[in-house]
Amino acid sequence: MNKNDDEKFIRKAIKLALKAKGKTSPNPLVGAIIVKDGKIISKGYHQGFGKPHAEIEAINSSPISLADSTLYVTLEPCSVWGKTPPCVETIKQIPFKRIVIGMKDPNPYVNGRSIKILRDAGYDVEVGICEDEVKKLNPYFQNYIDCLKTYTVLKVALSKDNFIYSKNFPEKYITTVESRIDLHKKRFEFDGILVGSNTVNVDDPLLDTRNIKIEYKPKVVILDFSNKLDYSKKIFKDKKRLKIIIVSKQFENYLKNEKDIKYIFVKNKDESWDFIKNRMCDFGVISLLIEGGKKVFVDSLKHSVVDEVWIYRSKIKLLNGIKLDIERILKNKKFKLIEEKKIKDDTFKRYICSQEL
């Protein structure tokens, strides 16, 4: 195989990995392909947390002998016990001709260890094929490995004159359809979406990806410190979707025996934001998108929870309503603008916390 063939098959493995988008966290998306005599004989991908890894899926799915075949895998095979046995030990039992790996596993417990094990066992191992493309598969995995914290992005839609809502504006949305499609594409990157109870009660949002006609429903995190959440809203009709509701310890009239609802009881707002930053990983949420409303936006920045901010700014002026001069806040918080582009008539800006640079 030449380099072009290696890149071709790693890219196919990347596409395969994407089939499990939203199902593997906190594990990364991983795809694997086995090639023999220039033809794909088997495929596999990590289908969900606790399920067999991509390499094992591919090995077990092969209809013919794997002798003298090449294993292509997007991420270095694991070498430690977790929910599943270490993949490298299974791979060592197969007489592969070559093993091609997209990138090293950033997990310090692996990080090159499996590569060394395989090379020491006599395998021809190639590493770093389409590495930049493989990294894009799991944009927030590295942060989780490094910090064991959730990477948090705040998204806000603003009018030209800094309003996020006006009861006098006849339309539901102030941004264009194109901006909403862009957001729904970006939602695919996140394990969870956070909103306040008032946003649920007033907007009755679905928080899904319907605008791109691909069904993906991240976990929903709801801040309900005032205990005013309306459980008749649409989000609660989907019993397959986990809702993590953060409430005060004084709250007693919560729903019991609901498998799709998990309550987190906190003493105060400081404790709630500490949980969001440091404990959401316990629920497989290593990436979180904050979508509303104003109090949630302001408090998340005040408590230094936010790593990035995305602003979709409309050309429309609302003149009155709920105002939020978020760019002034970001300047005071030392966020830096790193991306700006037009989306139809809207402007998209991406800011990153300066300490992340």
Side-chain angles (χ1 to χ4, degrees), residues 297-313:
F297 292 152
V298 173
D299 283 353
S300 65
L301 289 166
K302 176 183 176 182
H303 287 84
S304 301
V305 167
V306 179
D307 298 291
E308 288 187 31
V309 176
W310 298 346
I311 298 174
Y312 291 86
R313 189 179 291 279

Side-chain angles (χ1 to χ4, degrees), residues 104 110 114 158 186 237 255 268 304 306 315 336 339:
K104 284 201 302 184
V110 182
S114 291
L158 285 171
K186 286 182 169 67
K237 300 187 188 305
L255 299 181
N268 51 52
S304 301
V306 179
K315 69 174 185 178
K336 183 175 181 178
E339 181 183 358

Side-chain angles (χ1 to χ4, degrees), residues 19 116 167 275 286:
K19 288 187 175 183
K116 184 178 186 304
K167 64 180 180 181
F275 175 86
I286 66 172

Side-chain angles (χ1 to χ4, degrees), residues 28 37 40 86 164 240 308 328 334 356:
D37 298 326
I40 295 173
I164 61 173
K240 295 181 180 180
E308 288 187 31
R328 179 184 58 80
K334 297 183 179 179
E356 301 293 332

Side-chain angles (χ1 to χ4, degrees), residues 23 55 80 82 108 124 146 225 227 311 316 333 339-340 354:
K23 299 177 182 178
E55 308 93 312
V80 294
D124 177 6
D146 291 342
F225 199 74
N227 306 326
I311 298 174
I316 295 169
K333 290 286 184 179
E339 181 183 358
E340 183 173 354
S354 57

